Amino acid sequence: MASWAWSTQQLAEFVASVSSCTTEASAARAAVERAADALDAEVAAIMAGGELLAAVGYAEGTEPVDELRRIRPGVPDSRLKVPGVGWCAVAAAGLAYPPGATLMVARTRGLTRQETALLGGMARVAAMTMTMLSVLDHERAAREEVERLAREQAALRRVATLVAKAVSPEEIFSAVAREVGNALSAADFAMVARYDPDHSVEVVGGWSRAGGLVLVGRRSMLGGQNVSTLVFERNGPARVDDHLIDGTEALTTAAREIGMRSSAGAPISVEGRLWGVMIVASAREHVLLPGTEYRLAEFTKLIATTIANTQAREELRRVADEQAALRRVATLVAQGAPSPAVFDAVTREIGQLLPVDATVLSRYDPDGYLTRVGMWSRPDVRLPTGERSRLGGRNVSTLVFETAQAARLDNYGDDAGEASIWMAAGLRSAVGVPISVEGRLWGSVVVTSMSEEPLPGDTETRLAGFTELVATAIANAQAQAELTASRARIVATADQTRRRIERDLHDGAQQRLVTLALQLREAQAEVPPRLERLNAELDRVAVGLSSTLDELREFARGIHPVVLAKEGLAPALKTLARRSSIRVKLDIRTQERLPEHVEIAAYYVISEALANAAKHAKASGVHVQVDATSGMLRLDVSDDGVGGADPARGSGLIGLRDRVEATGGTFRVISRRGEGTHLLIELPVRPLQPASG
Amino acid sequence: MPADRWFGVGSCAGARERAGARAVDDALVHDDPKLLIVFCSPAHDLRRSLRQIRERAGDVPLIGCTTAGEIATAGPSTDGVVVAALGGSGFAVRTTVATEVSGNLREAGARVARSLPDRADLPHKVVLLLSDGLAGDQQEVVRGAHGVLGAAVPLVGGCAGDDLKMSRTFQLYDDRILSDSVVAAGIASNAPLGIGVRHGWRRLGEPMLVTSSTGNRVHTLDDRPALDAYLKHLGASEPAHPDQEGLARLALTHPLGLSRPNGEDKVRFIRGGDFAQRSLSCIAEVPQGALVWIMEGDARSVLEATDAACGESLAALSGRSPLGMIAFDCIARRAVLGDGGTRSEIGRIAAMASGAPVAGFYTYGEIARTRGARGFHNQTLVVLSVG
């Protein structure tokens, strides 16, 4: 057969064989085998870029790569020494692909020109096939890469949706672990773990391909050659390709127990701080692709966002709660609520806001004792009763007293002192802050907890807002009390003055007038009957004296009725009623004596009310009811006059109000035009407050 | 009597009770046997024969296989057992086995190729393989072994037979009777070993193009169904119904030939046909795009090939007489030769061996790789001369 036909046939066989290969490597292998077959060669090989792609004819592993590297097409008389055969002539043809590759054959007798042409043909076919396979390979790799990216993007999107829905962090961690595990085909486990301050790491989200493995909650100490530790130390990605190498550390041992053989991890940083680590692991060694630890980056960012969001939300909620609590207390203070109510509210709000088991508000007394003025505790905490304790010993109240600054104790010792009877109640640690009113230490707020963990570091700061409000409330209350006391004192002083005047009048002018009147009567008795004009004159003087005396008595009574001091409110009121120009109905339900300033206040109120009723209200009758119960004296005065009394418009009611409020009482007037005037007064029955100093 | 290198052959025709024992006794002509090669007719109780051989020979490494006829100095047989033994300090032998080879033929070849003893003082090396030819394209076995050994170590051997039933052949390894496996003996010797390969077929008529084939199966020749084209080419009448036996008989003496640039055509034995699909099934690969001839042969060409093969194998011995010869002869050639012809053939081999013992069997395929990468043959005689 013509050799050209044979060559064609050989080439056809070569094409059929090589072009049916599916990978570059197998195409190279088929090419050298077919070339050796076709040309009856001892050796055939393809070298590309200094590397041996495929060879046949050498015992395995003995290919002389250096010699083969030197063979180039077009170099005549190339020779190779083939073991077991001897020197062989070499023919080579260049391949267009891989670039710079060479197909060579070695045979004891050299190739004919025809065979050389065939070799060239084979080289071309091999190159074409490998080019095509390389293109297909790239396309496939590119497609796989695109698919992989698409899968990862979908996974990231799913997680991002969860993050946006503000699902709980635990759910997000588990979701991320699951998505990462599913996205990486080589992964058998995936975990999100948090670094804790005690150099441990705890799993907060986990997934295993086989399912059924509880990873969440596992905690180990850092140390050794494992991904958690390496990521922690480097603050960067890390991988361990074979856990069997290092068997010493707890984390590695735990990993091996679970069945992890190789793992990779990436750090999770929240707002610039290393928060935790994302780990993927496989049950086999060396299967995680290079770069796995870097592909985790996008997922770790999502986790970081979640954590930051959650932290921000929690912070926001905390601040909102605090603001609401402060506002509630501030409202009370602004409303002028009595101090006990404020103290109560403060201790309760603090107790509900902070992770504490009891809150106590105390006042430091001048005698080295403290008085507890407000207290709150959780229902299952029994607080000791008793209002006062002596300062001293190692406890927060004493520390605050001594330093006038915030103090904290993380556990009470034996020398806790009387001020800290909390230990018996099971309370362990405490934080106290001072309350300063107008620059002076007034008392303290102390919060305590039963937990063994110390109270959070920001407790002192968070209490500051409340102590300011308390100080304000106390200052307000003090000012209020001062005001009331001073008003009462003013009134009392005025009353004393009036009494003095009355007494002076009585002892002085009134007495002399009485004496004068008597002397005049005596003188009158000595006047002879014929001096009628003189008698009548003396009579007139006596009457004048008498009425002056009456006026003076009346005047004295007006400023201070003696009967009130001597006999009390009820008789004085009866006198008033008798002397009133309009009908008065008295309903006095109390007979006991009351403190002086209370009786005086009540007397003047009713006196003024009666005068008003007669003068302004044009009433025909007044009903007066007096009642003393539960420490309060109630006066109820109503007339049937024209009404329309306005305390602001100089109807004498202002004076009444002043006097009533100076006593610490309440004054109400209901006076609608045409419906009469109704006064309701309440006076607290208690001794006057001494001036505070 | 000690000898530093010796080769012996024992045989026993007929399925006798003590056949194995007798054969091995005759083969062990000296002490220090290094290798036993057993060719046994499938008509025998393999287990019994093997046991007898092992009893007599002890733990000597043993490889063997079933046949489609046996060759021994005494003559051909179809129901006998032949044992060839070699030994002495001039030889070192290691045997290996690969099982479950179909689908992994290349790997099997590589495995068994790693059986060479590492003896620098015994520089002449050859690997002798006996394979299950029904397990797939045996060229893959050769490729696997060649990939490990390279050009320096020749391969020789044959495919086990099963008396032309083409259903199941057996390979023997020490005391194991296996199927779907390859057994091999790596032989290192301090004297040359020679290999000769000839077939004796010649082309018949015009070539045809393999227009469609996959592996061992030829679907179309010249775009016509292969079976039909083949039968037509041979002028055989279209069988009325599927006639595998008839086809096998025809195919035995009319293999396909693939051309080579020089030397004899590569012959491909047709194992059978698929009458439904009209395809031909060969025992080795017939590449698509190849040009094939239908071959024919006669007694004379076959015997000429015998002489030539023996001559070629002796050439490596540089004039020395061989200790013995092992022949791997294709059943197709036997079919051409007939009974009388096989006797002549063996006589000629023995003559070429200068009276040295001869062993061998009729195979389903022959292995001989001396040059280049190709080493699997059909319808061929492969002769190993032990120097």
Side-chain angles (χ1 to χ4, degrees):
Chain A
M1 178 174 95
S3 55
W4 59 261
W6 174 85
S7 281
T8 311
Q9 182 198 332
Q10 290 299 308
L11 198 54
E13 284 184 35
F14 185 87
V15 167
S17 168
V18 170
S19 64
S20 62
C21 291
T22 53
T23 67
E24 274 186 67
S26 63
R29 174 120 213 121
V32 298
E33 284 176 359
R34 289 290 164 177
D37 266 6
L39 295 168
D40 232 350
E42 297 297 334
V43 159
I46 296 180
M47 292 285 290
E51 301 272 314
L52 184 66
L53 283 192
V56 73
Y58 291 103
E60 73 182 343
T62 66
E63 298 87 359
V65 180
D66 287 336
E67 278 187 69
L68 295 173
R69 224 177 254 141
R70 283 198 284 275
I71 299 189
R72 291 248 146 267
V75 174
D77 302 329
S78 294
R79 296 201 306 164
L80 270 181
K81 189 133 195 265
V82 179
V85 178
W87 283 107
C88 293
V90 178
L95 292 159
Y97 180 88
T102 304
L103 168 66
M104 62 196 78
V105 295
R107 200 169 71 175
T108 44
R109 65 189 186 295
L111 268 57
T112 64
R113 228 192 341 246
Q114 201 66 44
E115 286 168 331
T116 309
L118 177 59
L119 184 66
M122 291 187 206
R124 272 196 294 286
V125 169
M128 274 189 327
T129 304
M130 288 199 278
T131 305
M132 197 180 60
L133 289 173
S134 151
V135 166
L136 286 175
D137 239 358
H138 280 134
E139 273 183 19
R140 188 184 53 242
R143 198 174 46 248
E144 281 174 4
E145 185 66 17
V146 166
E147 282 170 11
R148 183 185 69 74
L149 280 173
R151 270 198 308 275
E152 264 180 36
Q153 286 304 312
L156 284 168
R157 208 173 35 247
R158 282 191 288 274
V159 177
T161 306
L162 288 178
V163 173
K165 282 203 240 173
V167 158
S168 78
E170 291 71 33
E171 284 180 66
I172 298 209
F173 297 148
S174 287
V176 171
R178 192 178 57 243
E179 294 288 355
V180 167
N182 281 324
L184 298 174
S185 56
D188 295 309
F189 311 95
M191 285 164 286
V192 176
R194 185 192 64 230
Y195 292 123
D196 284 332
D198 60 351
H199 268 77
S200 68
V201 57
E202 180 179 340
V203 178
V204 294
W207 169 89
S208 63
R209 191 176 289 281
L213 188 64
V214 175
L215 292 163
V216 174
R218 283 177 190 255
R219 176 186 280 279
S220 313
M221 298 306 292
L222 291 174
Q225 273 292 106
N226 50 72
V227 166
S228 306
T229 306
L230 291 172
V231 167
F232 181 77
E233 289 169 356
R234 299 177 193 170
N235 196 354
R239 63 190 289 146
V240 171
D241 283 309
D242 189 345
H243 275 282
L244 293 176
I245 293 173
D246 182 317
T248 53
E249 297 304 330
L251 192 60
T252 308
T253 308
R256 279 195 288 123
E257 272 169 16
I258 294 168
M260 294 181 207
R261 292 283 169 269
S262 54
S263 50
I268 302 171
S269 293
V270 179
E271 286 163 2
R273 272 184 37 254
L274 178 62
W275 179 91
V277 58
M278 160 117 247
I279 301 176
V280 294
S282 164
R284 293 154 289 161
E285 303 93 353
H286 298 280
V287 295
L288 293 174
L289 297 174
T292 300
E293 58 270 37
Y294 298 99
R295 283 169 60 186
L296 298 174
E298 292 300 316
F299 288 96
T300 61
K301 280 192 214 152
L302 277 176
I303 297 174
T305 306
T306 304
I307 295 161
N309 281 1
T310 308
Q311 285 178 348
R313 260 206 304 283
E314 278 172 12
E315 189 62 33
L316 209 60
R317 191 169 42 236
R318 235 179 49 148
V319 169
D321 284 346
E322 220 167 88
Q323 289 303 310
L326 285 169
R327 205 174 39 248
R328 284 191 285 273
V329 175
T331 305
L332 279 181
V333 173
Q335 284 170 349
S339 300
V342 174
F343 298 155
D344 227 14
V346 164
T347 50
R348 194 182 57 250
E349 293 286 1
I350 289 175
Q352 285 167 349
L353 201 63
L354 299 181
V356 298
D357 295 312
T359 312
V360 174
L361 209 161
S362 313
R363 185 188 65 226
Y364 295 128
D365 291 336
D367 56 356
Y369 276 70
L370 62 75
T371 304
R372 284 181 272 282
V373 296
M375 221 154 56
W376 169 92
S377 68
R378 279 222 334 264
D380 55 331
V381 175
R382 279 189 331 105
L383 279 184
T385 53
E387 283 206 356
R388 305 192 81 210
S389 340
R390 179 199 282 284
L391 289 171
R394 192 168 155 274
N395 55 73
V396 166
S397 304
T398 305
L399 283 171
V400 170
F401 177 73
E402 287 169 355
T403 63
Q405 293 193 340
R408 63 155 65 208
L409 271 179
D410 289 325
N411 62 293
Y412 282 98
D414 291 332
D415 56 346
E418 194 185 300
S420 166
I421 44 179
W422 308 108
M423 269 182 77
L427 297 161
R428 291 271 165 274
S429 54
V431 169
V433 290
I435 302 175
S436 297
V437 178
E438 286 165 0
R440 282 182 26 254
L441 180 65
W442 179 90
S444 64
V445 171
V446 174
V447 293
T448 69
S449 155
M450 282 178 167
S451 147
E452 298 195 351
E453 306 253 337
L455 288 164
D458 60 350
T459 306
E460 288 90 327
T461 326
R462 292 180 79 184
L463 289 173
F466 289 95
T467 57
E468 277 176 24
L469 283 176
V470 169
T472 307
I474 293 166
N476 281 1
Q478 281 180 347
Q480 189 71 12
E482 280 288 336
L483 197 61
T484 309
S486 78
R487 284 168 82 181
R489 279 196 303 283
I490 289 173
V491 167
T493 307
D495 287 346
Q496 278 171 10
T497 308
R498 287 158 79 127
R499 196 171 36 239
R500 210 173 46 246
I501 293 175
E502 181 271 334
R503 202 168 355 260
D504 285 352
L505 273 181
H506 182 273
D507 294 346
Q510 268 173 282
Q511 207 57 38
R512 276 204 300 283
L513 278 178
V514 164
T515 311
L516 279 176
L518 278 174
Q519 284 176 351
L520 188 58
R521 283 288 176 218
E522 282 175 14
Q524 248 185 326
E526 312 236 333
V527 171
R530 58 189 162 83
L531 295 175
E532 279 181 34
R533 251 206 352 251
L534 183 60
N535 239 344
E537 203 64 43
L538 287 179
D539 254 348
R540 269 205 301 282
V541 173
V543 167
L545 262 181
S546 182
S547 75
T548 303
L549 194 55
D550 281 345
E551 274 178 37
L552 213 50
R553 273 205 199 100
E554 197 64 46
F555 177 67
R557 196 180 296 117
I559 60 172
H560 184 85
V562 171
V563 64
L564 178 65
K566 285 229 183 79
E567 292 170 36
L569 189 58
L573 288 180
K574 287 198 183 91
T575 314
L576 257 187
R578 227 180 11 255
R579 299 166 58 84
S580 168
S581 59
I582 53 177
R583 190 172 42 85
V584 178
K585 177 147 188 297
L586 272 185
D587 182 1
I588 302 177
R589 299 180 187 180
T590 174
Q591 297 301 325
E592 62 194 70
R593 290 303 301 268
L594 302 163
E596 192 182 35
H597 67 286
V598 174
E599 288 188 331
I600 292 174
Y603 177 85
Y604 277 118
V605 163
I606 295 174
S607 166
E608 188 71 33
L610 292 181
N612 282 350
K615 237 185 318 184
H616 301 296
K618 303 190 180 66
S620 63
V622 181
H623 182 119
V624 176
Q625 186 177 305
V626 176
D627 200 346
T629 52
S630 358
M632 300 294 272
L633 181 67
R634 270 178 209 84
L635 310 172
D636 193 318
V637 181
S638 50
D639 65 47
D640 59 0
V642 299
D646 184 354
R649 282 199 279 125
S651 51
L653 288 178
I654 286 189
L656 289 189
R657 160 167 270 156
D658 276 352
R659 178 177 280 277
V660 167
E661 288 181 353
T663 329
T666 57
F667 180 90
R668 256 181 79 198
V669 56
I670 304 162
S671 185
R672 280 195 281 276
R673 203 168 278 284
E675 291 178 17
T677 302
H678 187 175
L679 299 179
L680 290 155
I681 288 107
E682 280 188 354
L683 299 169
V685 178
R686 57 160 184 258
L688 261 188
Q689 306 279 46
S692 60
Chain B
M1 173 170 88
D4 70 335
R5 348 168 12 84
W6 57 265
F7 184 89
V9 173
S11 62
C12 185
R16 306 251 178 81
E17 226 186 85
R18 305 287 307 153
R22 282 179 59 177
V24 71
D25 280 345
D26 290 343
L28 291 172
V29 294
H30 288 291
D31 293 335
D32 189 21
K34 289 289 172 54
L35 175 66
L36 294 178
I37 308 172
V38 177
F39 304 125
C40 187
S41 165
H44 272 244
D45 182 337
L46 290 175
R47 207 164 290 286
R48 187 176 67 189
S49 300
L50 201 55
R51 196 173 55 244
Q52 288 169 5
I53 294 167
R54 296 281 285 173
E55 274 170 13
R56 314 298 278 191
D59 274 339
V60 180
L62 183 154
I63 62 171
C65 62
T66 50
T67 71
E70 306 77 48
I71 296 169
T73 327
S77 60
T78 51
D79 56 359
V81 56
V82 174
V83 178
L86 55 79
S89 58
F91 290 109
V93 175
R94 258 177 60 187
T95 56
T96 47
V97 61
T99 53
E100 287 170 4
V101 301
S102 28
N104 294 321
L105 287 166
R106 193 184 276 246
E107 174 59 34
R111 247 192 88 180
V112 299
R114 295 187 181 110
S115 62
L116 268 186
D118 188 14
R119 294 280 297 266
D121 60 328
L122 304 171
H124 301 276
K125 299 191 165 57
V126 73
V127 173
L128 194 157
L129 302 109
L130 299 171
S131 164
D132 187 340
L134 301 176
D137 182 0
Q138 302 296 305
Q139 178 61 25
E140 285 293 294
V141 175
V142 172
R143 284 209 180 94
H146 181 51
V148 168
L149 295 168
V153 179
L155 305 169
V156 73
C159 295
D162 67 345
D163 276 346
L164 287 178
K165 293 197 204 70
M166 300 284 174
S167 69
R168 193 168 179 209
T169 70
F170 294 96
Q171 298 77 49
L172 309 172
Y173 185 74
D174 289 345
D175 54 357
R176 291 159 68 182
I177 300 168
L178 306 162
S179 217
D180 189 26
S181 54
V182 177
V183 298
I187 303 170
S189 162
N190 56 9
L193 303 133
I195 298 173
V197 185
R198 284 290 188 281
H199 59 67
W201 303 99
R202 50 172 188 275
R203 293 173 181 172
L204 178 65
E206 290 303 309
M208 290 187 276
L209 194 64
V210 177
T211 40
S212 166
S213 75
T214 32
N216 293 5
R217 193 174 281 277
V218 182
H219 303 296
T220 63
L221 293 166
D222 282 347
D223 288 312
R224 284 174 295 143
L227 179 61
D228 299 325
Y230 178 78
L231 291 173
K232 177 134 189 265
H233 193 98
L234 291 173
S237 52
E238 190 81 17
H241 49 269
D243 182 7
Q244 287 286 5
E245 266 192 51
L247 178 64
R249 263 200 309 280
L250 196 62
L252 198 56
T253 50
H254 294 91
L256 294 177
L258 303 167
S259 70
R260 303 298 319 147
N262 24 54
E264 284 185 314
D265 288 334
K266 211 161 48 169
V267 178
R268 284 287 173 263
F269 173 64
I270 295 170
R271 177 179 151 174
D274 188 327
F275 283 83
Q277 307 233 345
R278 318 305 292 177
S279 62
L280 291 171
S281 186
C282 297
I283 208 163
E285 189 196 25
V286 179
Q288 185 162 311
L291 215 52
V292 294
W293 281 258
I294 297 185
M295 314 288 276
E296 63 166 10
D298 57 26
R300 201 178 62 133
S301 67
V302 167
L303 286 172
E304 272 171 11
T306 306
D307 287 341
C310 292
E312 189 182 31
S313 74
L314 289 170
L317 271 47
S318 319
R320 288 170 54 159
S321 293
L323 292 177
M325 278 183 170
I326 304 181
F328 305 93
D329 202 354
C330 190
I331 43 159
R333 287 165 41 88
R334 190 176 102 170
V336 170
L337 291 172
D339 278 342
T342 50
R343 219 173 292 283
S344 300
E345 187 187 29
I346 290 170
R348 284 164 101 118
I349 298 174
M352 298 287 285
S354 313
V358 172
F361 71 107
Y362 289 100
T363 65
Y364 283 172
E366 304 72 53
I367 294 171
R369 192 214 70 76
T370 50
R371 276 189 359 258
R374 282 168 302 108
F376 183 63
H377 309 268
N378 283 174
Q379 260 88 340
T380 302
L381 168 65
V382 168
V383 178
L384 172 70
S385 294
V386 181

